[in-house]
Every structure is written in structure tokens, then in C-alpha cells.
Amino acid sequence: RRDFPSVGSIVVARRETQGEMLFHLGCAGLPDLRLVLVNELPFRLGREVTQALRWSAAARVTQALSPHLARRDLVVLRRLMDTLHRRYSADAFARTVGAHRPQLSQRLVGSGLPSVGRLIQWGRLFQAAVWLVEPGRTAESVSRPLEYSSGAAFRRALRARLDQTPTGLVAAGGLPFVLDRFRQECSDEQALTAVRAG
């Protein structure tokens, strides 16, 4: 848990579980450890999973960008972050929000956001920024689940989009640094859209 702090922890126990074992779990210093009794699972599991994931990349990115985005765009961004593990193409992701890729890209760009394909790239960078600062992860271990063909491809993406190496990204602050770069790109996109419209 120390090596992977963004991973939520839920303990499911029976009523007859020894109190001593639960006491030791509590003393272990696991942050945000959630305890659910088996008979309460149907009623509490969804809420407990939400609480256990409140430090996930999806939750942190959504919270950080919520003051800057319209609700419908925030919903799209949250869906994207929640489904990164499914490795959707831009077309497939657009279908999950009930749109065609060109339509969704046009709507996003009209709101000052990147197109669907670029937004997926940013989502991967947000997730990478959260994972890279965790002691149990390396650039190689972060690159695989984020669909980079290799650690070298991941490093090239960081260099191209953020002008950073994995170590440099951690030193620059991780997620807050990536969020700042994202907001900066969105501001540039908004300015370009205004120039095209004018």
C-alpha cells in the first residue's frame, strides 16, 4: 500500500472475523482503508468503492478541472479517465458517450478542449503523472498499462507533450505540472478557435 498509494483498499469481513485481526489492520497505517461486512455488500459496495478511489487519477483530475469545464465536458473527461484501462480508440470512446468521433471532437474543440484523440493522450499523461510519483512504479511499469509499445515510446510521449523525462516529471510535481500544461494547451486552443472565428 505504501508503494501504490493511489490504489484503494477495501476489506470485506464476516461478523465473526476476529477483532484482533481488524485491530492490526487498523494499526497498519493504511490510509483510507474501507471495511465492509459481507451482509452489507449489496448496500454499501458502490459507496465504498467510490470512497476508496477518491485519490485515483480520475477523481483528482475531475476535481482539479471542474472549475474550468462545463459539466458536459467534465462528464466526458471523467468517462475517459474511468475507461483508460479499456484502451478505447478515439472512435470507440466517442461511441461510449453517444457520439461519432468527428462530432465529439468538434464539440470539445468548440469548448476549448483538445480533440478526442488528443484528449485520450492527455488522459494517459494524467494517469502516468499519478503513477510515476508512487514508489512502487517505474517508467516501464507505467508505460505498459497505458498502451505505450515500450518504455522508450512512453518517454518520447512525455518529451513531445511535456518536454520532460519520467524523472523530470516527478521532480516538476507530477499531476499538478501536467494539469498546468493541459490548461495551457486548452487556453492556446481557445485562442486559436477565436482567431479562426474572427
Side-chain angles (χ1 to χ4, degrees):
R1 185 68 175 98
R2 254 189 316 270
D3 289 343
F4 307 98
S6 68
V7 177
S9 300
I10 299 174
V11 174
V12 179
R14 292 188 173 89
R15 283 210 182 276
E16 59 272 11
T17 300
Q18 294 180 355
E20 183 179 343
M21 183 178 73
L22 295 176
F23 174 77
H24 288 299
L25 271 174
C27 292
L30 299 173
D32 293 326
L33 180 68
R34 313 298 298 177
L35 174 66
V36 181
L37 296 175
V38 170
N39 62 325
E40 297 174 344
L41 268 179
F43 312 106
R44 291 188 47 204
L45 186 60
R47 183 176 63 217
E48 297 302 330
V49 167
T50 299
Q51 285 298 313
L53 294 177
R54 70 180 172 183
W55 296 112
S56 69
R60 292 167 63 189
V61 167
T62 304
Q63 183 179 19
L65 295 177
S66 62
H68 309 284
L69 297 178
R71 174 144 175 75
R72 69 180 186 165
D73 296 330
L74 199 60
V75 167
V76 169
L77 181 63
R78 180 61 190 241
R79 166 95 35 104
L80 180 130
M81 293 300 300
D82 284 338
T83 59
L84 275 177
H85 65 283
R86 296 189 179 178
R87 302 177 179 188
Y88 285 133
S89 67
D91 288 312
F93 174 72
R95 283 193 298 273
T96 71
V97 295
H100 295 289
R101 182 191 46 78
Q103 294 168 321
L104 183 58
S105 286
Q106 185 177 19
R107 191 183 94 200
L108 292 170
V109 170
S111 297
L113 293 169
S115 66
V116 177
R118 285 191 26 221
L119 192 61
I120 290 171
Q121 292 172 358
W122 275 108
R124 291 161 65 188
L125 292 173
F126 293 144
Q127 184 65 66
V130 169
W131 282 344
L132 279 173
V133 299
E134 296 185 337
R137 299 193 196 264
T138 64
E140 290 291 326
S141 71
V142 167
S143 69
R144 284 188 298 274
L146 292 177
E147 203 182 345
Y148 292 98
S149 59
S150 65
F154 173 56
R155 285 187 275 283
R156 280 193 301 276
L158 288 180
R159 178 79 63 196
R161 183 66 64 192
L162 303 172
D163 197 28
Q164 292 290 337
T165 63
T167 307
L169 178 56
V170 171
L175 183 60
F177 175 81
V178 177
L179 286 165
D180 284 344
R181 286 292 177 94
F182 177 74
R183 284 190 289 262
Q184 186 177 23
E185 180 173 308
C186 290
S187 296
D188 293 345
E189 288 290 327
Q190 190 68 28
L192 286 173
T193 304
V195 167
R196 284 188 209 116

